[in-house]
Amino acid sequence: MKAIKWGVDLEIGVPPIDRQHKRIVDYINMLLVLNNDNNREEIYTILQQLVDYTVSHFAFEEELMEECGYPFKKAHKLVHNLFVRKVASFVSRFENGEDITSELLITLKTWLVNHIKNDDKDYSSVVKQKMNIAKKESWFSSLISKLLNRQPT
Ligand SMILES: [Fe+2]
């Protein structure tokens, strides 16, 4: 299975979000390497980190959408919740000794790339608009530092 190549096609133009997405991509690529070695113990460690980080990232995104008045934030949040549930069921199958890593990696890769390119790009225009309007008021930077205080970076 090929690694995800990070590039401008995956950027949505909101720097803290792009950094967080890149980190999620790094986790997935780490899992790809570990899966080749069938290293279950390390896979489990990274898997837990990936889940924790993704949950925090979703909370960050949801708060950003809320602050920017993105009209479809409820639907977006629902998509996040369904994905978290899907991954959680993979994790419990893994904990029960099943060999699900390849199947999980295909799901993660496909879902993340589609989600960034479609759903996240969609809210990015609203956020960027707000960033431009509020540039002089340093609204965006104070919002980001407020959010970053509560989220891992
Ligand atoms: Fe999202």
Side-chain angles (χ1 to χ4, degrees):
M1 212 183 295
K2 269 209 225 154
I4 303 174
K5 202 172 174 288
W6 181 262
V8 282
D9 59 320
L10 287 175
E11 285 178 6
I12 66 164
V14 180
I17 298 291
D18 289 333
R19 276 195 296 275
Q20 292 173 15
H21 284 157
K22 167 123 186 3
R23 187 152 155 193
I24 294 173
V25 164
D26 289 342
Y27 277 128
I28 295 173
N29 288 339
M30 267 190 261
L31 284 176
L32 282 162
V33 173
L34 293 171
N35 192 35
N36 289 336
D37 304 338
N38 200 19
N39 189 336
R40 277 187 73 84
E41 213 169 294
E42 276 194 58
I43 287 172
Y44 191 53
T45 306
I46 301 297
L47 198 52
Q48 281 172 312
Q49 290 175 11
L50 169 71
V51 170
D52 286 351
Y53 190 76
T54 303
V55 167
S56 305
H57 162 69
F58 285 169
F60 185 101
E61 259 189 6
E62 287 159 16
E63 196 156 346
L64 187 62
M65 284 187 268
E66 171 88 49
E67 296 274 355
C68 294
Y70 176 60
F72 306 111
K73 65 167 198 315
K74 265 197 183 150
H76 197 126
K77 196 174 173 187
L78 197 68
V79 170
H80 284 169
N81 290 348
L82 288 173
F83 180 69
V84 169
R85 254 189 275 164
K86 195 182 218 178
V87 173
S89 86
F90 272 111
V91 172
S92 60
R93 282 169 62 198
F94 184 95
E95 286 167 343
N96 289 331
E98 271 187 66
D99 185 9
I100 50 87
T101 314
S102 299
E103 195 188 332
L104 170 65
L105 281 168
I106 292 168
T107 305
L108 289 175
K109 275 175 69 173
T110 316
W111 188 89
L112 185 71
V113 170
N114 281 331
H115 184 68
I116 292 176
K117 286 185 174 173
N118 300 302
D119 303 342
D120 291 345
K121 258 201 186 132
D122 191 69
Y123 80 66
S124 73
S125 52
V126 175
V127 175
K128 278 188 277 192
Q129 214 175 8
K130 194 103 195 208
M131 271 160 73
N132 287 335
I133 295 166
K135 234 174 215 161
K136 288 192 196 95
E137 302 157 28
S138 71
W139 167 87
F140 185 68
S141 56
S142 59
L143 168 64
I144 292 304
S145 45
K146 184 185 100 182
L147 293 179
L148 286 175
N149 280 337
R150 273 179 273 141
Q151 306 299 331
T153 50

